[in-house]
Amino acid sequence: LDRMLKDNLLDLAPIPSIAYARNYQDYVIMPEISISCDGDVKSIYLFSKMPIEELGGKKVALTNISATSQALLRIIMAKKYGAAPEYFSSAPELGAMLLEADAALLIGDDALRAKYKQDPRLYVYDLGQEWKHMTGLPMVFSVWAIRRDFARRRIDQVRLIKDTFIECMNYSLDHIEDVAEKAAQW
C-alpha cells in the first residue's frame, strides 16, 4: 500500500509511520486514526539473551516484515541506550533468529507466540513502553495517509471516509465482546 500510494496508484491508504515521515511533503494524515500505543503495545517485542543496555556491538536480528518497528528499535538503541548493534533482517522465527543473533525483534502474531511461550532466560522489552520511557509520548506505528492533491480536490469525500472510520471504530468498541467472540472463532 505504501508503494502504491507513493506511485500515485491510491489516493489514501494505511501506511507505516516511517513511510509517512519519509514522504510527508506529498501526504496529509487522516486525523484521529492511527495504530498507536501510549505505553505497552504488547505485540512488538525485543527478545534478548542479555540486558538491552549490553547490546552495543552485538548482533540483533530484525523481523523482515516491519519497517517502522525496525526504525523504532534503531532509534531507541541509539538515543536511549547509546548503543549501535550490528543489525540484520531475518524471517520472523525467534529460535532461528537467536541462533545467529544476541537479540531478535518480533512483531504481531510472531511476537505474541514468542511471548506466550517465553523462555525465562530471555530478557523481553516492549518497544511501545521503551518509546514511552524515552520520550514521554505515545508511539504511532501506522497512519492513514492521503495524497495532498487528492485531499485538496476531494475534502468532502475525505471527511466522509474519516467519519465512517470513526463510526465503525466506535461501533466496534461499543460491541467489543461480540467482536472478540467473532475474532476468537478464527
Side-chain angles (χ1 to χ4, degrees), residues 26-88:
D26 297 326
Y27 306 148
V28 293
I29 294 177
M30 180 86 67
E32 300 177 55
I33 300 173
S34 68
I35 296 175
S36 54
C37 68
D38 192 4
D40 289 345
V41 66
K42 298 184 181 178
S43 63
I44 303 175
Y45 293 109
L46 178 69
F47 296 87
S48 180
K49 297 175 186 175
M50 61 193 66
I52 194 169
E53 55 272 4
E54 296 175 16
L55 287 173
K58 304 293 185 184
K59 288 187 175 185
V60 175
L62 304 173
T63 180
N64 60 6
I65 58 173
S66 174
T68 296
S69 297
Q70 286 187 9
L72 176 61
L73 180 60
R74 289 174 189 265
I75 292 167
I76 290 168
M77 292 304 298
K79 302 283 185 190
K80 184 175 181 185
Y81 296 102
E86 181 184 326
Y87 297 106
F88 66 94

Side-chain angles (χ1 to χ4, degrees), residues 1-170:
L1 295 175
D2 171 36
R3 182 188 50 75
M4 293 174 74
L5 189 66
K6 191 174 182 177
D7 292 345
N8 206 16
L9 299 172
L10 294 173
D11 296 317
L12 65 146
I15 63 171
S17 58
I18 194 71
Y20 171 78
R22 291 176 178 150
N23 298 287
Y24 70 92
Q25 65 279 4
D26 297 326
Y27 306 148
V28 293
I29 294 177
M30 180 86 67
E32 300 177 55
I33 300 173
S34 68
I35 296 175
S36 54
C37 68
D38 192 4
D40 289 345
V41 66
K42 298 184 181 178
S43 63
I44 303 175
Y45 293 109
L46 178 69
F47 296 87
S48 180
K49 297 175 186 175
M50 61 193 66
I52 194 169
E53 55 272 4
E54 296 175 16
L55 287 173
K58 304 293 185 184
K59 288 187 175 185
V60 175
L62 304 173
T63 180
N64 60 6
I65 58 173
S66 174
T68 296
S69 297
Q70 286 187 9
L72 176 61
L73 180 60
R74 289 174 189 265
I75 292 167
I76 290 168
M77 292 304 298
K79 302 283 185 190
K80 184 175 181 185
Y81 296 102
E86 181 184 326
Y87 297 106
F88 66 94
S89 287
S90 174
E93 200 289 303
L94 185 61
M97 294 168 97
L98 291 177
L99 285 176
E100 297 182 50
D102 298 295
L105 173 66
L106 291 174
I107 71 161
D109 289 347
D110 300 308
L112 295 172
R113 277 190 290 277
K115 178 77 168 136
Y116 180 73
K117 299 175 184 177
Q118 183 179 336
D119 181 333
R121 296 170 295 176
L122 294 177
Y123 296 86
V124 181
Y125 301 91
D126 183 297
L127 264 60
Q129 191 62 47
E130 288 291 318
W131 179 263
K132 181 71 173 186
H133 284 157
M134 185 176 86
T135 67
L137 299 170
M139 176 60 203
V140 178
F141 297 95
S142 181
V143 297
W144 272 87
I146 308 159
R147 294 201 58 79
R148 196 173 292 279
D149 57 332
F150 178 80
R152 281 190 202 109
R153 288 184 288 113
R154 308 297 291 271
I155 191 67
D156 290 340
Q157 196 170 18
V158 170
R159 281 191 188 109
L160 176 63
I161 293 167
K162 177 195 164 256
D163 292 345
T164 302
F165 279 147
I166 299 293
E167 187 178 309
C168 289
M169 286 188 298
N170 288 337

